[in-house]
Amino acid sequence: MVLHPQAKVRVVGQDVTFCCKASGTPVPKKYYWYHNGTLLERKVHRYGSRLVLRGLAPEQAGTYHCKASTEAGAIKSAPAQLTVLAQGQQSCKPEPEPSLVELPSECPQDAAGSRYYNVGRCPPAPCAGSPSEQSGCRADTGRCCGVRRMEMREIPCAGFLLPIKVVAECGCGPCTQPRVLVQGRVTAADTGEPLRFGQIFLGGRKVGFTGYKGSFTIEVPPDTQRLVARFVDRQQRFVDAVKVLPFNRRGGAVYQEVKMLRKKEPVDLDGSQSNAIPLGEASGREPVGELVLPAGAFLRPSGEVFRGTVKASVTFLDPRDMATTNAASSDLSFADAEGEIVPLRTYGMFAVDFREGETGAVLQTGPVEVRMDAGQVRMPEHLQKMKLWSLNPETGLWEEEGVLRPARGSRGKREERTFLVGNLEIRERRLFNLDVPEDRRCFVKVRAYSNEKFNPYEQLEGVVISLINLEPQPGYPANPRAWGRFDSVVTGPNGACLPAFCDGQRPDAYSAYVTATLGGEELEAVASSPKLNPNAIGVSQPYLGKLGYRRLDHDDPDLKKTAFQINVAKPDPNNVDETNGPIYPYRSLEECEEAPVSANHLRFYRVEVDKYEYNVVPFKESDLTSWTGDYLSWWPNPQEFRACFIKVQIEGPQEYMVRSRNVGGSHPRTRGQLYGLRDTRSVRDTLLENTSGACVEFKCSGMLFDQSLVDRTLVSIVPQGSCHHTAVNSLLREYLSRHPPVAENNHTAAFTMLAPVDPLGHNYGIYTVTDQNPRLAKEIAIGRCFDGTSDGFSREMKADAGTAVTFTCQERPAGRESFFQRLLTAPAEA
């Protein structure tokens, strides 16, 4: 499906047009349209690939999708929502929805003991399309609900008034159009070697290359529902990787690590003889099966039989090896007869590369036999459904090549055994798969939070949640026999629902291994030992016990805390304890997606020790549509985010909180006005005694949102404690003196500068990264800052490398306030 219908908002009496388009061989010409799952009569609506509804009535609201079909198969589009408003009804309510931000620690708590303040938000819903848009196929691009008016308020804190802007009124206006990107790195699954200058294809179109370190950026085309990318090694050392990449439809970049499977070394075969190549014989295991090539099976592209020496490379991806999951291609899905995309459960994939021994010319094959050992199939019900599939590299969908049927056979002098046997012809370089369609399906609800308080208003969007389906060994749930499939979903404002195999009769028939990453950073799962805490995990008993929740370090504290495993026990509809999540039947996707935060769900959280951010103009970095154009906005451009950090070295006996206070420095509209605060605790350098380092974010200098004048942000760096700065990077000091005005530094307990406009680097102790995702920009900059280099990355603090300013701190006499404390209590005097 190359064009999907788009969501629309209309007023009663207006017209609307939905369009879809499918490609294939033969070209699809029959289209069917459905409203809320019910087929619309072709004679009444006179539709083809385009559906036009005139003079809309309220009952025509709902979901619409199309199905395209040929004699070769069918495919369904994604559903599109039609909202029909009554005359005079507003699609954007002027009253903002509640949205809470945390105030600095020196601000008073309210009567309920909370330091959270309601700043309001406008939901980014589309507004009704104009009459000129009523006949278009594309989404209504014109107007969305957004901020119409903001008010400045001041909150009395300890010794000062904290400015904060709140949403006063919502209204329809131009939609924020953030870019949608997928970024990442392509490396070898076995050695981590980067794929340098590899080709990247979307569909059949080449869109670029990977970088020297294997990095890539893909801009997601508009209206994309399923992003299928193919990575090709021009040196042919690796099997082509076909990946279905998750992305955030609300904008920004999602980070993905792509692993490529190294091709197996070729062996010499005699083309005039019959040959058998084992599939999956590595690591001392019994092979899953074998590829049998009869004499004369190899063909040149002209059809001529080749009987000489053949260089044969057959690379098998074995799901019995848990480490192979991230190297598997596609998302293991196929389109059924009704055009619905449904999942497969794999028993192994293999790629073949046959070449003439002397010239290296590519060879095809006539009919060859694939034999699979039935003893490797532990679920008896799968024996009757096993099929052979090949991967379409443009759609990322598996296509049926044939059925595997039982047959008797033997291996050499060993015992007789049953094989599943199928046939295929290899006419092009594709990946092949031994799979069964699996109809025991559910959804698993997962949410990600910014910290372990699990506040509903501190959920993270743009987190990639990955779920690997496992087949456990009976009695050994922590030691699975094999993996079966994998899925990744990006969290939205209400979490994520991940498809998974499940079973209603045997809760442990399938288990799932779940992880979460944000910008390449792994989030932490909730602990399962020494005692399960249902309130922290997010699932109530007794269902939690049935799921068997275990974090990865449950039995071994040395293991990572960034994954958990559960039994995917299908909920019993007659048991009230199992009707509120976190597992939902497959037909209840909408219920899963719309479940309130109070419903059962599984959790990840970001580990941020002693870190705090405050923006005068509120902005949720995981939701780029929450950006507001304002002179005091921390980020002036919603399509490009520039993160700036300064590295501070602290010589003292403990770790210290370090604050950056950021105010307008040179722009006439913002001079002296607060942009925001950043607090970060310093991190000890394990190699240096009594030394720690802090990477502190500050607001970059540059154009403000109107793109007319540059502002040099006035940045003050203040450590907590009895501290005074003892050294300033000489290159930074020289740069600041050559780019006036120079900020006064008349108090030794703080360092003040008018932030540089240029992106300096580690030699100056300044780290600047620009990206379409603010969190990713900050993560990269922090990694470089910790490392003290402009192109490295580290999670271990190297406090004396690439430093901008050094403070010396000591224990102060009892009863004497530090400058940091005086800044909190009486900033004017300080």
Side-chain angles (χ1 to χ4, degrees), residues 732-750:
L732 177 61
R733 186 172 56 237
E734 182 184 346
Y735 175 92
L736 294 174
S737 66
R738 286 190 291 107
H739 294 79
V742 177
E744 292 184 8
N745 268 298
N746 55 11
H747 200 295
T748 60

Side-chain angles (χ1 to χ4, degrees), residues 741-761:
V742 177
E744 292 184 8
N745 268 298
N746 55 11
H747 200 295
T748 60
F751 170 74
T752 304
M753 67 175 180
L754 282 160
V757 176
D758 299 310
L760 299 181

Side-chain angles (χ1 to χ4, degrees), residues 637-823:
N637 183 349
Q639 294 197 333
E640 190 171 75
F641 298 88
R642 188 175 175 213
C644 294
F645 285 77
I646 183 169
K647 188 166 185 177
V648 179
Q649 179 178 342
I650 298 181
E651 296 172 349
Q654 56 190 14
E655 296 177 335
Y656 299 84
M657 289 298 293
V658 184
R659 166 168 288 184
S660 79
R661 190 170 188 272
N662 303 266
V663 301
S666 60
H667 196 289
R669 295 290 296 265
T670 63
R671 188 180 292 121
Q673 295 186 64
L674 185 69
Y675 289 116
L677 307 171
R678 297 293 187 266
D679 292 344
T680 305
R681 182 174 292 280
S682 65
V683 177
R684 286 191 183 279
D685 187 320
T686 56
L687 301 178
L688 298 174
E689 188 177 359
N690 290 333
T691 303
S692 61
C695 294
V696 188
E697 185 185 8
F698 64 90
K699 185 185 183 305
C700 305
S701 293
M703 293 285 188
L704 299 186
F705 91 102
D706 63 357
Q707 299 296 304
S708 63
L709 283 175
V710 167
D711 183 44
R712 293 278 301 278
T713 310
L714 182 63
V715 180
S716 297
I717 304 297
V718 188
Q720 179 183 19
S722 184
C723 305
H724 60 279
H725 71 253
T726 53
V728 177
N729 182 298
S730 59
L731 289 177
L732 177 61
R733 186 172 56 237
E734 182 184 346
Y735 175 92
L736 294 174
S737 66
R738 286 190 291 107
H739 294 79
V742 177
E744 292 184 8
N745 268 298
N746 55 11
H747 200 295
T748 60
F751 170 74
T752 304
M753 67 175 180
L754 282 160
V757 176
D758 299 310
L760 299 181
H762 70 283
N763 290 330
Y764 299 78
I766 303 293
Y767 300 83
T768 305
V769 173
T770 301
D771 196 89
Q772 285 74 27
N773 184 321
R775 288 191 177 277
L776 192 55
K778 286 163 43 166
E779 286 301 316
I780 295 171
I782 290 171
R784 292 176 180 176
C785 180
F786 267 59
D787 195 51
T789 64
S790 293
D791 56 1
F793 191 91
S794 177
R795 287 295 183 199
E796 293 186 4
M797 175 59 73
K798 302 172 184 176
D800 60 345
T803 300
V805 58
T806 301
F807 286 86
T808 299
C809 301
Q810 57 195 29
E811 299 301 323
R812 65 183 179 278
R816 180 180 165 192
E817 278 192 328
S818 70
F819 180 70
F820 187 91
Q821 289 171 320
R822 279 181 281 152
L823 186 70

Side-chain angles (χ1 to χ4, degrees), residues 451-517:
N451 54 58
E452 55 184 326
K453 296 176 185 175
F454 305 119
N455 290 319
Y457 36 84
E458 292 186 313
Q459 292 188 66
L460 294 174
E461 298 181 43
V463 176
V464 180
I465 311 289
S466 298
L467 183 149
I468 304 170
N469 260 120
L470 307 174
E471 182 187 322
Q473 295 192 41
Y476 299 93
N479 187 19
R481 178 185 291 127
W483 61 267
R485 73 172 280 110
F486 51 88
D487 284 279
S488 294
V489 177
V490 176
T491 57
N494 202 34
C497 294
L498 290 104
F501 296 146
C502 59
D503 195 284
Q505 304 302 316
R506 291 183 297 144
D508 61 350
Y510 276 119
S511 64
Y513 178 90
V514 188
T515 60
T517 58

Side-chain angles (χ1 to χ4, degrees), residues 72-280:
I75 189 71
K76 278 184 182 178
S77 75
Q81 183 72 33
L82 173 63
T83 302
V84 181
L85 304 172
Q87 292 289 347
Q89 182 183 353
Q90 293 178 317
S91 56
C92 180
K93 296 179 181 178
E95 303 80 22
E97 294 180 351
S99 178
L100 303 179
V101 298
E102 185 180 4
L103 300 177
S105 58
E106 58 268 28
C107 296
Q109 298 177 339
D110 61 17
S114 171
R115 282 206 318 273
Y116 287 88
Y117 192 84
N118 182 14
V119 296
R121 68 181 289 270
C122 301
C127 294
S130 63
S132 63
E133 292 180 316
Q134 293 179 29
S135 61
C137 288
R138 299 286 177 177
D140 297 340
T141 56
R143 296 162 66 76
C144 295
C145 189
V147 176
R148 175 165 286 174
R149 184 168 57 88
M150 299 189 83
E151 291 179 353
M152 177 70 87
R153 296 180 186 171
E154 291 183 326
I155 300 170
C157 297
F160 71 103
L161 294 175
L162 180 74
I164 187 167
K165 286 205 166 186
V166 300
V167 179
E169 183 184 356
C170 301
C172 289
C175 299
T176 302
Q177 299 286 346
R179 296 169 69 194
V180 181
L181 301 171
V182 175
Q183 298 176 326
R185 206 162 64 101
V186 188
T187 55
D190 53 355
T191 64
E193 167 193 357
L195 176 67
R196 293 191 171 114
F197 313 118
Q199 296 173 315
I200 306 172
F201 293 84
L202 293 185
R205 182 171 57 94
K206 185 165 69 175
V207 295
F209 297 88
T210 59
Y212 182 76
K213 293 187 176 182
S215 58
F216 68 91
T217 298
I218 298 172
E219 183 156 6
V220 181
D223 307 336
T224 298
Q225 296 291 329
R226 180 180 161 88
L227 181 65
V228 179
R230 179 163 57 104
F231 299 90
V232 178
D233 176 21
R234 293 188 294 174
Q235 298 179 35
Q236 291 299 306
R237 297 162 302 162
F238 303 106
V239 177
D240 292 359
V242 179
K243 297 289 184 179
V244 181
L245 298 172
F247 59 94
N248 189 355
R249 301 178 194 281
R250 295 161 72 91
V254 169
Y255 186 85
Q256 284 283 292
E257 286 280 354
V258 175
K259 300 295 183 182
M260 294 191 79
L261 194 64
R262 191 178 300 276
K263 284 185 176 180
K264 193 169 182 180
E265 285 296 318
V267 296
D268 289 344
L269 302 179
D270 184 346
S272 64
Q273 303 291 321
S274 178
N275 296 278
I277 301 176
L279 302 175

Side-chain angles (χ1 to χ4, degrees), residues 129-458:
S130 63
S132 63
E133 292 180 316
Q134 293 179 29
S135 61
C137 288
R138 299 286 177 177
D140 297 340
T141 56
R143 296 162 66 76
C144 295
C145 189
V147 176
R148 175 165 286 174
R149 184 168 57 88
M150 299 189 83
E151 291 179 353
M152 177 70 87
R153 296 180 186 171
E154 291 183 326
I155 300 170
C157 297
F160 71 103
L161 294 175
L162 180 74
I164 187 167
K165 286 205 166 186
V166 300
V167 179
E169 183 184 356
C170 301
C172 289
C175 299
T176 302
Q177 299 286 346
R179 296 169 69 194
V180 181
L181 301 171
V182 175
Q183 298 176 326
R185 206 162 64 101
V186 188
T187 55
D190 53 355
T191 64
E193 167 193 357
L195 176 67
R196 293 191 171 114
F197 313 118
Q199 296 173 315
I200 306 172
F201 293 84
L202 293 185
R205 182 171 57 94
K206 185 165 69 175
V207 295
F209 297 88
T210 59
Y212 182 76
K213 293 187 176 182
S215 58
F216 68 91
T217 298
I218 298 172
E219 183 156 6
V220 181
D223 307 336
T224 298
Q225 296 291 329
R226 180 180 161 88
L227 181 65
V228 179
R230 179 163 57 104
F231 299 90
V232 178
D233 176 21
R234 293 188 294 174
Q235 298 179 35
Q236 291 299 306
R237 297 162 302 162
F238 303 106
V239 177
D240 292 359
V242 179
K243 297 289 184 179
V244 181
L245 298 172
F247 59 94
N248 189 355
R249 301 178 194 281
R250 295 161 72 91
V254 169
Y255 186 85
Q256 284 283 292
E257 286 280 354
V258 175
K259 300 295 183 182
M260 294 191 79
L261 194 64
R262 191 178 300 276
K263 284 185 176 180
K264 193 169 182 180
E265 285 296 318
V267 296
D268 289 344
L269 302 179
D270 184 346
S272 64
Q273 303 291 321
S274 178
N275 296 278
I277 301 176
L279 302 175
E281 79 284 12
S283 306
R285 297 185 181 94
E286 283 285 325
V288 170
E290 59 187 5
L291 183 64
V292 180
L293 303 133
F298 296 105
L299 306 173
R300 288 184 166 129
S302 63
E304 175 191 355
V305 175
F306 179 78
R307 300 186 183 278
T309 300
V310 176
K311 294 282 186 184
S313 169
V314 178
T315 308
F316 187 75
L317 187 140
D318 195 338
R320 297 173 299 179
D321 180 356
M322 299 304 298
T324 62
T325 316
N326 55 11
S329 275
S330 172
D331 59 353
L332 289 168
S333 299
F334 75 104
D336 67 9
E338 293 299 313
E340 188 172 343
I341 295 179
V342 290
L344 293 166
R345 190 269 196 227
T346 188
Y347 281 88
M349 306 177 189
F350 61 95
V352 300
D353 189 1
F354 299 134
R355 297 178 183 268
E356 293 185 24
E358 291 186 5
T359 67
V362 175
L363 294 170
Q364 302 173 351
T365 76
V368 299
E369 198 173 73
V370 178
R371 298 163 63 85
M372 181 181 179
D373 184 355
Q376 297 295 330
V377 183
R378 310 292 182 177
M379 294 187 173
E381 60 271 27
H382 287 175
L383 289 170
Q384 306 304 317
K385 299 191 293 183
M386 192 70 65
K387 294 181 179 180
L388 184 62
W389 309 76
S390 67
L391 179 62
N392 183 323
E394 295 188 11
T395 66
L397 295 173
W398 294 90
E399 298 171 353
E400 186 178 331
E401 291 282 345
V403 177
L404 274 68
R405 305 190 185 281
R408 303 296 292 176
S410 63
R411 286 188 178 150
K413 299 179 180 178
R414 284 184 275 177
E415 76 279 2
E416 288 278 323
R417 63 181 69 193
T418 301
F419 287 90
L420 301 175
V421 180
N423 296 289
L424 90 146
E425 296 184 9
I426 301 171
R427 298 294 184 184
E428 57 182 314
R429 197 172 68 207
R430 281 198 174 195
L431 191 64
F432 299 96
N433 204 346
L434 303 165
D435 275 25
V436 293
E438 178 60 275
D439 53 8
R440 294 174 294 177
R441 296 175 277 162
C442 291
F443 284 99
V444 180
K445 183 70 177 217
V446 181
R447 299 178 188 268
Y449 293 86
S450 60
N451 54 58
E452 55 184 326
K453 296 176 185 175
F454 305 119
N455 290 319
Y457 36 84
E458 292 186 313

